[in-house]
Amino acid sequence: MLDPAGEATRAAAARLGVEGVRKLRIGKAIELELEAPDRDTAQRQLELLSDRLLANPVIENWSLEIREPAGGERS
Amino acid sequence: MSVGVVVFPGSNCDRDVRWALEGCLGLPTTFLWHEQNDLAGVDAVVIPGGFSYGDYLRCGAIARFAPVLEAVQRFAAAGGPVLGICNGFQVLTELGLLPGALTRNAGLHFICEPTELEVRPGRCRWLQGYGDGVSIHLPIAHGEGRYQCDREALEQLEANGQVVLRYAANPNGSVGDVAGLCNEAGNVLGLMPHPERACEALTGGLDGLPLLASLKQNP
């Protein structure tokens, strides 16, 4: 999948003098805070959001990382 | 035959579409606000160009969840004529009414210029006013018009005759030179070029007129 913004940035890296950049892809990072009764529910809801709203699987891959707030799971 | 033009916050071709339909063709046209749940009894729906919801997240990604589009989905499933122009095409792909996705132009620039297109009407109810294989000129105006789908999907679309509009000189890197796609049934058309901007001889030529006039000939 062509990433024209990534390719343009890679060309700029070479102009800055760093020649070794073989691959540069630009994506998005989305931070969201979710309240859920437990981790499984949170996982399910986040997968639904990632697949149906936050990313378009036709053109984007996504991965998910859950961090629990300090002090453990909320009730 | 009455036509509804969907209006999102950020739509900017809604009035042009209404002018082309009502001013140039005499078709009664109403605006359908994105928050309404019904189509107010219209016989055809146009999703116009612009930047719905500021193009936040991805073009068409937020618009896809607008209440009015649930009604549009039911209308399309029942065979109602639906046309998505530019941002409207992006919305139709996000909605799943047409396959694939539209992404950043290969050259990264927003392109605003007349383009030459080859028309293959097939079953598409919107294009029956054009001869098979004719060449027409319509303006494009987009930054994210590069059509993308995997090879298998493209072969399927070609085999089904769903690639109904193709760029003669691909301006944006679209796979298969795709400028416009139709669904299998032929009632839903999405295209990046703007037919509504080519409905008067004084302002951009007349090549878009047969597309919109299909609503009169083929109600």
Side-chain angles (χ1 to χ4, degrees), chain A residues 1-2 4-5 8 28 30 52-56 58-60, chain B residues 57-58 61 64-65 94 100-101 103-106 108 146 148:
Chain A
M1 176 73 204
L2 177 68
K28 323 182 164 90
I30 296 171
R52 299 282 306 282
L53 173 62
L54 302 178
N56 179 349
V58 176
I59 45 169
E60 295 167 315
Chain B
L57 195 58
R58 291 180 308 281
R64 169 204 160 176
F65 291 99
E94 282 282 339
T103 58
R104 192 82 177 270
N105 292 344
L108 293 171
R146 178 167 55 98
Q148 283 292 309

PDB file of all heavy atoms in Angstrom, chain A residues 1-2 4-5 8 28 30 52-56 58-60, chain B residues 57-58 61 64-65 94 100-101 103-106 108 146 148:
ATOM      1  N   MET A   1       0.845  -1.197   0.000  1.00  0.00           N
ATOM      2  CA  MET A   1       0.000   0.000   0.000  1.00  0.00           C
ATOM      3  C   MET A   1       0.880   1.246   0.000  1.00  0.00           C
ATOM      4  O   MET A   1       1.674   1.462   0.916  1.00  0.00           O
ATOM      5  CB  MET A   1      -0.879  -0.088   1.262  1.00  0.00           C
ATOM      6  CG  MET A   1      -1.772   1.075   1.539  1.00  0.00           C
ATOM      7  SD  MET A   1      -3.161   1.164   0.441  1.00  0.00           S
ATOM      8  CE  MET A   1      -3.498   2.908   0.589  1.00  0.00           C
ATOM      9  N   LEU A   2       0.758   2.066  -1.050  1.00  0.00           N
ATOM     10  CA  LEU A   2       1.569   3.269  -1.191  1.00  0.00           C
ATOM     11  C   LEU A   2       1.249   4.274  -0.088  1.00  0.00           C
ATOM     12  O   LEU A   2       0.090   4.535   0.204  1.00  0.00           O
ATOM     13  CB  LEU A   2       1.295   3.880  -2.572  1.00  0.00           C
ATOM     14  CG  LEU A   2       1.994   5.203  -2.905  1.00  0.00           C
ATOM     15  CD1 LEU A   2       3.488   4.991  -3.032  1.00  0.00           C
ATOM     16  CD2 LEU A   2       1.431   5.763  -4.201  1.00  0.00           C
ATOM     17  N   PRO A   4       2.243   7.925   0.273  1.00  0.00           N
ATOM     18  CA  PRO A   4       2.969   9.037  -0.347  1.00  0.00           C
ATOM     19  C   PRO A   4       3.579   9.999   0.667  1.00  0.00           C
ATOM     20  O   PRO A   4       4.675  10.516   0.442  1.00  0.00           O
ATOM     21  CB  PRO A   4       1.919   9.733  -1.222  1.00  0.00           C
ATOM     22  CG  PRO A   4       0.598   9.160  -0.856  1.00  0.00           C
ATOM     23  CD  PRO A   4       0.819   7.875  -0.123  1.00  0.00           C
ATOM     24  N   ALA A   5       2.903  10.220   1.798  1.00  0.00           N
ATOM     25  CA  ALA A   5       3.458  11.128   2.809  1.00  0.00           C
ATOM     26  C   ALA A   5       4.716  10.511   3.421  1.00  0.00           C
ATOM     27  O   ALA A   5       5.711  11.213   3.658  1.00  0.00           O
ATOM     28  CB  ALA A   5       2.417  11.419   3.880  1.00  0.00           C
ATOM     29  N   ALA A   8       7.563  10.858   0.854  1.00  0.00           N
ATOM     30  CA  ALA A   8       8.062  12.238   0.787  1.00  0.00           C
ATOM     31  C   ALA A   8       8.961  12.518   1.989  1.00  0.00           C
ATOM     32  O   ALA A   8      10.000  13.181   1.870  1.00  0.00           O
ATOM     33  CB  ALA A   8       6.898  13.224   0.737  1.00  0.00           C
ATOM     34  N   LYS A  28      -1.248   6.833  12.415  1.00  0.00           N
ATOM     35  CA  LYS A  28      -1.798   7.653  13.490  1.00  0.00           C
ATOM     36  C   LYS A  28      -1.714   6.878  14.793  1.00  0.00           C
ATOM     37  O   LYS A  28      -1.789   5.662  14.796  1.00  0.00           O
ATOM     38  CB  LYS A  28      -3.293   7.931  13.358  1.00  0.00           C
ATOM     39  CG  LYS A  28      -3.899   8.153  12.075  1.00  0.00           C
ATOM     40  CD  LYS A  28      -5.395   8.463  12.252  1.00  0.00           C
ATOM     41  CE  LYS A  28      -5.957   9.075  10.997  1.00  0.00           C
ATOM     42  NZ  LYS A  28      -6.470   8.096  10.064  1.00  0.00           N
ATOM     43  N   ILE A  30      -3.855   6.900  18.322  1.00  0.00           N
ATOM     44  CA  ILE A  30      -5.069   7.447  18.941  1.00  0.00           C
ATOM     45  C   ILE A  30      -5.068   7.060  20.418  1.00  0.00           C
ATOM     46  O   ILE A  30      -4.922   5.886  20.750  1.00  0.00           O
ATOM     47  CB  ILE A  30      -6.330   6.894  18.242  1.00  0.00           C
ATOM     48  CG1 ILE A  30      -6.353   7.372  16.785  1.00  0.00           C
ATOM     49  CG2 ILE A  30      -7.588   7.322  18.993  1.00  0.00           C
ATOM     50  CD1 ILE A  30      -7.419   6.737  15.934  1.00  0.00           C
ATOM     51  N   ARG A  52     -14.278  -0.599  13.220  1.00  0.00           N
ATOM     52  CA  ARG A  52     -15.422   0.026  12.557  1.00  0.00           C
ATOM     53  C   ARG A  52     -15.314   1.538  12.451  1.00  0.00           C
ATOM     54  O   ARG A  52     -15.969   2.141  11.621  1.00  0.00           O
ATOM     55  CB  ARG A  52     -16.715  -0.331  13.298  1.00  0.00           C
ATOM     56  CG  ARG A  52     -17.012  -1.821  13.346  1.00  0.00           C
ATOM     57  CD  ARG A  52     -17.593  -2.352  12.039  1.00  0.00           C
ATOM     58  NE  ARG A  52     -18.772  -1.586  11.639  1.00  0.00           N
ATOM     59  CZ  ARG A  52     -19.983  -1.733  12.175  1.00  0.00           C
ATOM     60  NH1 ARG A  52     -20.185  -2.622  13.124  1.00  0.00           N
ATOM     61  NH2 ARG A  52     -20.990  -1.016  11.750  1.00  0.00           N
ATOM     62  N   LEU A  53     -14.549   2.168  13.324  1.00  0.00           N
ATOM     63  CA  LEU A  53     -14.527   3.628  13.317  1.00  0.00           C
ATOM     64  C   LEU A  53     -13.112   4.203  13.172  1.00  0.00           C
ATOM     65  O   LEU A  53     -12.838   4.963  12.251  1.00  0.00           O
ATOM     66  CB  LEU A  53     -15.172   4.164  14.608  1.00  0.00           C
ATOM     67  CG  LEU A  53     -15.079   5.684  14.824  1.00  0.00           C
ATOM     68  CD1 LEU A  53     -15.800   6.450  13.733  1.00  0.00           C
ATOM     69  CD2 LEU A  53     -15.650   6.068  16.188  1.00  0.00           C
ATOM     70  N   LEU A  54     -12.207   3.793  14.061  1.00  0.00           N
ATOM     71  CA  LEU A  54     -10.904   4.471  14.127  1.00  0.00           C
ATOM     72  C   LEU A  54     -10.021   4.143  12.933  1.00  0.00           C
ATOM     73  O   LEU A  54      -9.270   4.979  12.462  1.00  0.00           O
ATOM     74  CB  LEU A  54     -10.198   4.107  15.439  1.00  0.00           C
ATOM     75  CG  LEU A  54     -10.992   4.448  16.708  1.00  0.00           C
ATOM     76  CD1 LEU A  54     -10.242   4.002  17.946  1.00  0.00           C
ATOM     77  CD2 LEU A  54     -11.295   5.942  16.772  1.00  0.00           C
ATOM     78  N   ALA A  55     -10.111   2.903  12.432  1.00  0.00           N
ATOM     79  CA  ALA A  55      -9.318   2.523  11.260  1.00  0.00           C
ATOM     80  C   ALA A  55     -10.246   2.003  10.174  1.00  0.00           C
ATOM     81  O   ALA A  55     -11.348   1.535  10.460  1.00  0.00           O
ATOM     82  CB  ALA A  55      -8.312   1.443  11.639  1.00  0.00           C
ATOM     83  N   ASN A  56      -9.793   2.104   8.938  1.00  0.00           N
ATOM     84  CA  ASN A  56     -10.500   1.484   7.820  1.00  0.00           C
ATOM     85  C   ASN A  56      -9.663   0.285   7.367  1.00  0.00           C
ATOM     86  O   ASN A  56      -8.624   0.464   6.742  1.00  0.00           O
ATOM     87  CB  ASN A  56     -10.668   2.490   6.689  1.00  0.00           C
ATOM     88  CG  ASN A  56     -11.371   1.877   5.487  1.00  0.00           C
ATOM     89  OD1 ASN A  56     -11.553   0.662   5.407  1.00  0.00           O
ATOM     90  ND2 ASN A  56     -11.784   2.714   4.558  1.00  0.00           N
ATOM     91  N   VAL A  58      -9.685  -1.637   5.036  1.00  0.00           N
ATOM     92  CA  VAL A  58      -9.366  -1.743   3.611  1.00  0.00           C
ATOM     93  C   VAL A  58      -7.982  -1.135   3.317  1.00  0.00           C
ATOM     94  O   VAL A  58      -7.250  -1.616   2.462  1.00  0.00           O
ATOM     95  CB  VAL A  58     -10.434  -1.020   2.749  1.00  0.00           C
ATOM     96  CG1 VAL A  58     -10.057  -1.031   1.274  1.00  0.00           C
ATOM     97  CG2 VAL A  58     -11.797  -1.653   2.952  1.00  0.00           C
ATOM     98  N   ILE A  59      -7.627  -0.102   4.056  1.00  0.00           N
ATOM     99  CA  ILE A  59      -6.371   0.603   3.762  1.00  0.00           C
ATOM    100  C   ILE A  59      -5.446   0.717   4.970  1.00  0.00           C
ATOM    101  O   ILE A  59      -4.316   1.171   4.832  1.00  0.00           O
ATOM    102  CB  ILE A  59      -6.652   2.042   3.235  1.00  0.00           C
ATOM    103  CG1 ILE A  59      -7.725   2.728   4.092  1.00  0.00           C
ATOM    104  CG2 ILE A  59      -7.047   2.014   1.777  1.00  0.00           C
ATOM    105  CD1 ILE A  59      -7.878   4.197   3.823  1.00  0.00           C
ATOM    106  N   GLU A  60      -5.919   0.327   6.145  1.00  0.00           N
ATOM    107  CA  GLU A  60      -5.100   0.523   7.343  1.00  0.00           C
ATOM    108  C   GLU A  60      -5.050  -0.743   8.185  1.00  0.00           C
ATOM    109  O   GLU A  60      -6.048  -1.464   8.295  1.00  0.00           O
ATOM    110  CB  GLU A  60      -5.691   1.660   8.209  1.00  0.00           C
ATOM    111  CG  GLU A  60      -5.645   3.015   7.529  1.00  0.00           C
ATOM    112  CD  GLU A  60      -6.493   4.075   8.224  1.00  0.00           C
ATOM    113  OE1 GLU A  60      -7.650   3.780   8.604  1.00  0.00           O
ATOM    114  OE2 GLU A  60      -6.021   5.195   8.382  1.00  0.00           O
TER     115      GLU A  60
ATOM    116  N   LEU B  57     -10.501  12.286  11.090  1.00  0.00           N
ATOM    117  CA  LEU B  57     -10.232  10.840  11.165  1.00  0.00           C
ATOM    118  C   LEU B  57      -9.877  10.280   9.789  1.00  0.00           C
ATOM    119  O   LEU B  57      -8.756   9.907   9.540  1.00  0.00           O
ATOM    120  CB  LEU B  57     -11.406  10.086  11.795  1.00  0.00           C
ATOM    121  CG  LEU B  57     -11.136   8.665  12.260  1.00  0.00           C
ATOM    122  CD1 LEU B  57     -10.026   8.606  13.286  1.00  0.00           C
ATOM    123  CD2 LEU B  57     -12.411   8.040  12.837  1.00  0.00           C
ATOM    124  N   ARG B  58     -10.841  10.200   8.877  1.00  0.00           N
ATOM    125  CA  ARG B  58     -10.609   9.901   7.451  1.00  0.00           C
ATOM    126  C   ARG B  58     -11.778  10.535   6.712  1.00  0.00           C
ATOM    127  O   ARG B  58     -12.841  10.722   7.294  1.00  0.00           O
ATOM    128  CB  ARG B  58     -10.668   8.382   7.156  1.00  0.00           C
ATOM    129  CG  ARG B  58      -9.565   7.522   7.702  1.00  0.00           C
ATOM    130  CD  ARG B  58      -9.812   6.064   7.312  1.00  0.00           C
ATOM    131  NE  ARG B  58     -11.164   5.611   7.675  1.00  0.00           N
ATOM    132  CZ  ARG B  58     -11.539   5.250   8.889  1.00  0.00           C
ATOM    133  NH1 ARG B  58     -10.678   5.246   9.881  1.00  0.00           N
ATOM    134  NH2 ARG B  58     -12.788   4.872   9.134  1.00  0.00           N
ATOM    135  N   ALA B  61     -15.392   9.180   7.229  1.00  0.00           N
ATOM    136  CA  ALA B  61     -15.444   8.219   8.340  1.00  0.00           C
ATOM    137  C   ALA B  61     -16.492   8.590   9.390  1.00  0.00           C
ATOM    138  O   ALA B  61     -17.136   7.710   9.967  1.00  0.00           O
ATOM    139  CB  ALA B  61     -14.069   8.102   8.997  1.00  0.00           C
ATOM    140  N   ARG B  64     -20.314   8.662   7.849  1.00  0.00           N
ATOM    141  CA  ARG B  64     -20.894   7.337   7.688  1.00  0.00           C
ATOM    142  C   ARG B  64     -21.873   6.996   8.817  1.00  0.00           C
ATOM    143  O   ARG B  64     -22.788   6.194   8.648  1.00  0.00           O
ATOM    144  CB  ARG B  64     -19.728   6.364   7.675  1.00  0.00           C
ATOM    145  CG  ARG B  64     -20.101   4.969   7.772  1.00  0.00           C
ATOM    146  CD  ARG B  64     -18.962   4.172   8.314  1.00  0.00           C
ATOM    147  NE  ARG B  64     -19.511   2.947   8.835  1.00  0.00           N
ATOM    148  CZ  ARG B  64     -18.785   1.971   9.328  1.00  0.00           C
ATOM    149  NH1 ARG B  64     -17.500   2.064   9.354  1.00  0.00           N
ATOM    150  NH2 ARG B  64     -19.379   0.904   9.787  1.00  0.00           N
ATOM    151  N   PHE B  65     -21.690   7.600   9.980  1.00  0.00           N
ATOM    152  CA  PHE B  65     -22.568   7.297  11.109  1.00  0.00           C
ATOM    153  C   PHE B  65     -23.715   8.302  11.256  1.00  0.00           C
ATOM    154  O   PHE B  65     -24.441   8.275  12.238  1.00  0.00           O
ATOM    155  CB  PHE B  65     -21.746   7.235  12.407  1.00  0.00           C
ATOM    156  CG  PHE B  65     -20.818   6.051  12.442  1.00  0.00           C
ATOM    157  CD1 PHE B  65     -19.488   6.189  12.118  1.00  0.00           C
ATOM    158  CD2 PHE B  65     -21.303   4.784  12.761  1.00  0.00           C
ATOM    159  CE1 PHE B  65     -18.631   5.091  12.132  1.00  0.00           C
ATOM    160  CE2 PHE B  65     -20.462   3.686  12.771  1.00  0.00           C
ATOM    161  CZ  PHE B  65     -19.117   3.827  12.453  1.00  0.00           C
ATOM    162  N   GLU B  94     -16.865   4.298   2.742  1.00  0.00           N
ATOM    163  CA  GLU B  94     -16.820   4.100   4.195  1.00  0.00           C
ATOM    164  C   GLU B  94     -18.075   3.374   4.677  1.00  0.00           C
ATOM    165  O   GLU B  94     -18.036   2.561   5.586  1.00  0.00           O
ATOM    166  CB  GLU B  94     -16.679   5.446   4.925  1.00  0.00           C
ATOM    167  CG  GLU B  94     -15.263   6.021   4.897  1.00  0.00           C
ATOM    168  CD  GLU B  94     -14.317   5.343   5.903  1.00  0.00           C
ATOM    169  OE1 GLU B  94     -14.803   4.737   6.866  1.00  0.00           O
ATOM    170  OE2 GLU B  94     -13.094   5.425   5.706  1.00  0.00           O
ATOM    171  N   GLY B 100     -13.740  -0.830  -1.493  1.00  0.00           N
ATOM    172  CA  GLY B 100     -12.483  -0.094  -1.609  1.00  0.00           C
ATOM    173  C   GLY B 100     -12.448   1.145  -0.738  1.00  0.00           C
ATOM    174  O   GLY B 100     -13.281   1.313   0.153  1.00  0.00           O
ATOM    175  N   ALA B 101     -11.474   2.009  -1.032  1.00  0.00           N
ATOM    176  CA  ALA B 101     -11.299   3.226  -0.237  1.00  0.00           C
ATOM    177  C   ALA B 101     -10.585   4.272  -1.076  1.00  0.00           C
ATOM    178  O   ALA B 101      -9.903   3.941  -2.048  1.00  0.00           O
ATOM    179  CB  ALA B 101     -10.473   2.930   1.013  1.00  0.00           C
ATOM    180  N   THR B 103      -7.823   7.372  -1.001  1.00  0.00           N
ATOM    181  CA  THR B 103      -6.704   7.752  -0.160  1.00  0.00           C
ATOM    182  C   THR B 103      -5.986   8.963  -0.759  1.00  0.00           C
ATOM    183  O   THR B 103      -6.323   9.398  -1.865  1.00  0.00           O
ATOM    184  CB  THR B 103      -5.706   6.588  -0.058  1.00  0.00           C
ATOM    185  OG1 THR B 103      -5.269   6.248  -1.374  1.00  0.00           O
ATOM    186  CG2 THR B 103      -6.361   5.354   0.557  1.00  0.00           C
ATOM    187  N   ARG B 104      -5.002   9.463  -0.021  1.00  0.00           N
ATOM    188  CA  ARG B 104      -4.214  10.627  -0.417  1.00  0.00           C
ATOM    189  C   ARG B 104      -3.682  10.462  -1.841  1.00  0.00           C
ATOM    190  O   ARG B 104      -3.144   9.404  -2.179  1.00  0.00           O
ATOM    191  CB  ARG B 104      -3.042  10.722   0.571  1.00  0.00           C
ATOM    192  CG  ARG B 104      -2.281  12.003   0.518  1.00  0.00           C
ATOM    193  CD  ARG B 104      -3.012  13.062   1.332  1.00  0.00           C
ATOM    194  NE  ARG B 104      -2.245  14.287   1.336  1.00  0.00           N
ATOM    195  CZ  ARG B 104      -1.318  14.582   2.248  1.00  0.00           C
ATOM    196  NH1 ARG B 104      -1.052  13.752   3.223  1.00  0.00           N
ATOM    197  NH2 ARG B 104      -0.675  15.727   2.187  1.00  0.00           N
ATOM    198  N   ASN B 105      -3.821  11.500  -2.655  1.00  0.00           N
ATOM    199  CA  ASN B 105      -3.292  11.469  -4.021  1.00  0.00           C
ATOM    200  C   ASN B 105      -1.816  11.088  -4.008  1.00  0.00           C
ATOM    201  O   ASN B 105      -1.072  11.522  -3.128  1.00  0.00           O
ATOM    202  CB  ASN B 105      -3.414  12.845  -4.683  1.00  0.00           C
ATOM    203  CG  ASN B 105      -4.860  13.241  -4.934  1.00  0.00           C
ATOM    204  OD1 ASN B 105      -5.758  12.404  -4.888  1.00  0.00           O
ATOM    205  ND2 ASN B 105      -5.083  14.518  -5.188  1.00  0.00           N
ATOM    206  N   ALA B 106      -1.403  10.305  -5.007  1.00  0.00           N
ATOM    207  CA  ALA B 106      -0.025   9.832  -5.042  1.00  0.00           C
ATOM    208  C   ALA B 106       0.965  11.000  -5.002  1.00  0.00           C
ATOM    209  O   ALA B 106       2.004  10.921  -4.370  1.00  0.00           O
ATOM    210  CB  ALA B 106       0.207   8.979  -6.277  1.00  0.00           C
ATOM    211  N   LEU B 108       0.554  13.838  -3.579  1.00  0.00           N
ATOM    212  CA  LEU B 108       0.286  14.593  -2.342  1.00  0.00           C
ATOM    213  C   LEU B 108      -0.455  15.917  -2.529  1.00  0.00           C
ATOM    214  O   LEU B 108      -0.933  16.498  -1.572  1.00  0.00           O
ATOM    215  CB  LEU B 108       1.589  14.875  -1.570  1.00  0.00           C
ATOM    216  CG  LEU B 108       2.278  13.632  -0.982  1.00  0.00           C
ATOM    217  CD1 LEU B 108       3.660  13.993  -0.446  1.00  0.00           C
ATOM    218  CD2 LEU B 108       1.442  13.015   0.117  1.00  0.00           C
ATOM    219  N   ARG B 146      -7.317   8.921  -4.599  1.00  0.00           N
ATOM    220  CA  ARG B 146      -6.602   7.736  -5.126  1.00  0.00           C
ATOM    221  C   ARG B 146      -7.358   6.481  -4.693  1.00  0.00           C
ATOM    222  O   ARG B 146      -7.329   6.084  -3.528  1.00  0.00           O
ATOM    223  CB  ARG B 146      -5.162   7.713  -4.592  1.00  0.00           C
ATOM    224  CG  ARG B 146      -4.350   6.506  -5.022  1.00  0.00           C
ATOM    225  CD  ARG B 146      -2.882   6.726  -4.728  1.00  0.00           C
ATOM    226  NE  ARG B 146      -2.644   7.058  -3.335  1.00  0.00           N
ATOM    227  CZ  ARG B 146      -2.255   6.174  -2.399  1.00  0.00           C
ATOM    228  NH1 ARG B 146      -2.045   4.923  -2.708  1.00  0.00           N
ATOM    229  NH2 ARG B 146      -2.082   6.574  -1.161  1.00  0.00           N
ATOM    230  N   GLN B 148      -8.252   2.786  -3.960  1.00  0.00           N
ATOM    231  CA  GLN B 148      -7.468   1.634  -3.533  1.00  0.00           C
ATOM    232  C   GLN B 148      -8.363   0.441  -3.242  1.00  0.00           C
ATOM    233  O   GLN B 148      -9.393   0.582  -2.575  1.00  0.00           O
ATOM    234  CB  GLN B 148      -6.720   1.961  -2.226  1.00  0.00           C
ATOM    235  CG  GLN B 148      -5.494   2.811  -2.407  1.00  0.00           C
ATOM    236  CD  GLN B 148      -4.384   2.098  -3.145  1.00  0.00           C
ATOM    237  OE1 GLN B 148      -4.011   0.996  -2.782  1.00  0.00           O
ATOM    238  NE2 GLN B 148      -3.855   2.705  -4.196  1.00  0.00           N
TER     239      GLN B 148
END
